[in-house]
Amino acid sequence: HTDKQKRIAKLRELGAEIVEYDDPASEAFAAAFSDIHTVVSAVGLSGVTSQIAMIDGALAAGVRWFIPSEYGVAHYTSTWMPFPSPLAPKTDVDRYLRDHAMPRGLAHTVIYTGMALDYLDPASIGLKLASRSATLVGRGGTPVSFTPAHNVVQLVCDIVQRPHEMMNRTIRFASSTAKMRELIKVATNGEHGERVKIVCVDEAKAKFCELAKHQDPRAFQIYSRLLIEEGLGQINRMNEPLDNAMFPDIDAEPVGRTLERLMEHSEPNVQINPTPAHRTASAKSVTDGLGRRFRDFNM
């Protein structure tokens, strides 16, 4: 809460008008959106469904353009997930915009940018920068889309200045695409072995199911790593074209540079406790010898 208030204060210093309210009803959003042409939503994942009321409020207020809070990865159906995906509500919002709002005159733009490691905690996908170590679920060989936060801001600012070109379409922009094994080499300063824990996919799935049944927040971290290993962290995994060429003025920062930047500002704590775990031939072969194979549920 304190961090949020600091961000709000900084926005006020920059000249932004801030309106705070606790009422999530569409009527409250309609009042907030009075005389507004474009609404850019930036709610977190837990607030995605609240955008339905936002959209209804935008319609009531006569808003012309609504940009939902995506900025991450699209919702692709997992082949194994026994529960509804945490990303599934994104599809509900997109469908509501397309089927309900657009016919009533509210345009929309869906923006996918992949993961922003300077917004998310890199530890949520297994990169522990302070200890220069990592936990890898599976092989780490699937492509993942990344765009740092400042590039996302630049992208949104560019989009809202080009309404006729950008309305009623999906934009896919990735500053870079990389594999987890490549990021691990950066995060560990090229030193592998004891600094990398390898957890097999089946063990991670079992732990995810156990935690998810009890609504344990740690389940989402494991889900994120499984999502990446399954290939669902790539915003164009179905061969959809990227739209980077439409935004030539954005100086896209590669994810390796983002990690290096974060590591420059993290206090190193590299005390690594050796373990007696045996490096199996299969683990070595599927990870290029990055580390050891563990049964480690404290990921």
Side-chain angles (χ1 to χ4, degrees), residues 280-293:
T280 66
S282 61
K284 184 175 181 180
S285 64
V286 300
T287 61
D288 294 336
L290 278 177
R292 293 177 179 269
R293 183 174 183 140

Side-chain angles (χ1 to χ4, degrees), residues 135-146:
T135 298
L136 173 67
V137 171
R139 306 180 178 197
T142 56
V144 187
S145 304
F146 294 95

